[in-house]
């Protein structure tokens, strides 16, 4: 399903005399009621033909907004913007760049590289390791990505203030994964809601009426989407989705013990599903707890995974769940970023995940 683009609403003009910071392109876009890409084209006065597609009315509205705000282009930013190097940046918020073929990010990078090559772009790779991990070394930690014409970011946890600053400056940025909480940030994502709902539907059709979701204790958008789909699936099947249906674990390996699993099964739980993350912590903890509880799968309890298993746990039995089209997501992210670099209005639809029947789900065991 396509994600509707949030159109900037004209805002109040604070007036250049009442402010202490230099106006940004994002403010000009908000006052004029247009996108930052349109503002960039109008104010840069490019001669490559793209600005010619902008109507005179829109152009004048942008110029009026810039003048009323006292907007003055940053000379350094203008020089950077004018110098297209056919380079796209890729920044990973991990301690080391994920180049291991078994890393969950690796298929994303394959899709990124192939689509970039097909479009005539070279890639420059950045990593959070040079800033202490997760880009947390200060307010200018991400400034070096401006060496590229635009940058693609991937990671579960990101420095919001830094990304917001890049977006506000009109620098082309795309996040691989939903980030709606950062207004104005372009992103591509998988349809985790529908995929998670389908997993629950499958378990309900097998006869399960007590299903528990095991997830990490944070509010990262991928986790939120999976939980939403899980609860939607319960509701559609007429299964109660009260507080006990979702088990949030700050430290899954410590908190999801064999004793806890046995207690839940004794209370009537017949199936568990775990979210996939880049660490695989929830799925690892669930597998360990079920095994140490002496329970067979799917004989005693059914298991599902909202995503793909970690490479070291990908051997049989294959978990029931869904596969994330990482290669396609990486390619979609490059298409969107290339469009933003070209100053075009663009969006990418959510990418559907593929259901995986697996070998870990079966009918619930009848009570004795």
């Amino acid at each position: 399903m396509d994600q509707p683009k949030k159109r900037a609403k004209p805002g109040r003009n604070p007036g250049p005399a009442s402010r202490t910071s230099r106006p940004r392109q994002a403010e000009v876009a908000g006052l004029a009621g247009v996108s930052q890409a349109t503002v960039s084209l109008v104010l840069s006065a490019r001669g490559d033909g793209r600005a010619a597609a902008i109507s005179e009315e829109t152009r004048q509205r942008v110029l009026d907004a810039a003048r009323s705000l006292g907007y003055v282009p940053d000379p350094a930013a203008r020089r950077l913007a004018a110098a297209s190097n056919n380079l796209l940046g890729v920044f990973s918020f991990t301690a080391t760049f994920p180049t291991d073929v078994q890393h969950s990010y690796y298929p994303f990078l394959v899709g990124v590289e192939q689509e970039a090559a097909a479009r005539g772009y070279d890639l420059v790779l950045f990593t959070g390791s040079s800033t202490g991990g997760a880009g947390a070394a200060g307010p200018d930690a991400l400034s070096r990505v401006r060496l590229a014409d635009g940058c693609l970011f991937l990671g579960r946890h990101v420095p919001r203030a830094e990304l917001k600053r890049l977006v506000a400056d009109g620098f082309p940025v795309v996040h691989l994964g939903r980030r709606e909480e950062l207004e104005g940030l372009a992103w591509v994502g998988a349809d985790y809601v529908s995929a998670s709902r389908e997993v629950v539907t499958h378990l309900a059709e097998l006869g399960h009426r007590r299903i528990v979701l095991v997830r990490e204790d944070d509010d990262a958008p991928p986790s939120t989407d999976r939980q939403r789909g899980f609860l939607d699936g319960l509701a559609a099947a007429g299964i109660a989705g009260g507080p006990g249906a979702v088990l949030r674990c700050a430290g899954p390996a410590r908190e999801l013990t064999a004793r806890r699993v046995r207690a839940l099964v004794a209370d009537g739980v017949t199936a568990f599903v775990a979210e996939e993350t880049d660490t695989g912590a929830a799925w690892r903890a669930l597998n360990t707890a079920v095994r140490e509880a002496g329970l067979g799968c799917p004989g005693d309890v059914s298991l599902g995974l909202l995503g793909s298993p970690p490479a070291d746990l990908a051997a049989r039995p294959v978990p029931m769940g869904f596969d994330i089209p990482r290669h396609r997501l990486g390619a979609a992210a490059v298409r969107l970023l290339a469009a933003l670099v070209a100053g075009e209005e663009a969006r990418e639809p959510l990418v559907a995940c593929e259901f995986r029947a697996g070998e870990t789900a079966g009918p619930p065991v009848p009570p004795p």
Side-chain angles (χ1 to χ4, degrees), residues 80-236:
L80 285 173
S84 176
N85 298 313
N86 280 352
L87 290 177
L88 298 182
V90 182
F91 193 106
S92 168
F93 296 104
T94 56
T96 56
F97 204 84
T99 55
D100 188 326
V101 295
Q102 293 188 331
H103 196 289
S104 61
Y105 286 174
Y106 185 81
F108 288 130
L109 299 177
V110 173
V112 167
E113 191 277 333
Q114 291 180 347
E115 187 69 20
R119 292 176 175 270
Y121 284 100
D122 290 317
L123 297 176
V124 55
L125 308 181
F126 303 95
T127 174
S129 61
S130 58
T131 59
D140 297 321
L142 302 187
S143 61
R144 64 192 185 281
V145 304
R146 296 176 187 267
L147 293 170
D149 301 327
C151 193
L152 168 65
F153 294 88
L154 65 161
R156 181 177 175 85
H157 302 290
V158 302
R160 298 185 180 186
E162 281 301 296
L163 282 183
K164 287 178 67 175
R165 184 176 294 109
L166 288 173
V167 171
D169 285 343
F171 183 73
V173 172
V174 171
H175 187 270
L176 212 163
R178 183 176 73 81
R179 303 304 308 199
E180 283 182 332
E181 78 278 16
L182 294 178
E183 186 172 358
L185 175 65
W187 55 269
V188 298
D191 189 356
Y192 294 137
V193 175
S194 298
S196 299
R197 182 168 55 238
E198 186 174 6
V199 169
V200 175
T201 298
H202 180 72
L203 289 170
E205 290 174 347
L206 288 173
H208 294 277
R209 310 305 295 174
R210 290 286 306 280
I211 308 169
V212 169
L213 167 65
V214 179
R215 57 163 292 184
E216 295 186 28
D217 189 24
D218 62 30
D219 292 314
S223 297
T224 301
D225 286 350
R226 286 176 169 92
Q227 178 171 325
R228 175 185 163 195
F230 172 80
L231 295 176
D232 285 353
L234 292 184

Side-chain angles (χ1 to χ4, degrees), residues 51-62:
I54 300 173
S55 70
E56 181 59 29
E57 178 187 355
T58 299
R59 177 179 171 277
Q60 192 59 51
R61 197 161 69 244
V62 170

Side-chain angles (χ1 to χ4, degrees), residues 7-13 29-34 61:
R7 182 179 178 83
K9 297 180 180 179
R12 281 181 44 199
N13 174 11
L31 185 59
V34 299
R61 197 161 69 244

Side-chain angles (χ1 to χ4, degrees), residues 11 15 25 30 48 71 90 107 110 132 137-138 143 217 235 239 243 245 254 265 270 278 290-291 293 318 336 356:
Q25 282 193 3
D48 56 7
Y71 175 83
V90 182
V110 173
S143 61
D217 189 24
I239 300 174
R254 299 189 305 272
V265 171
T270 59
D278 50 5
V290 168
R291 184 177 64 253
V318 177
L336 180 55
R356 182 183 61 245

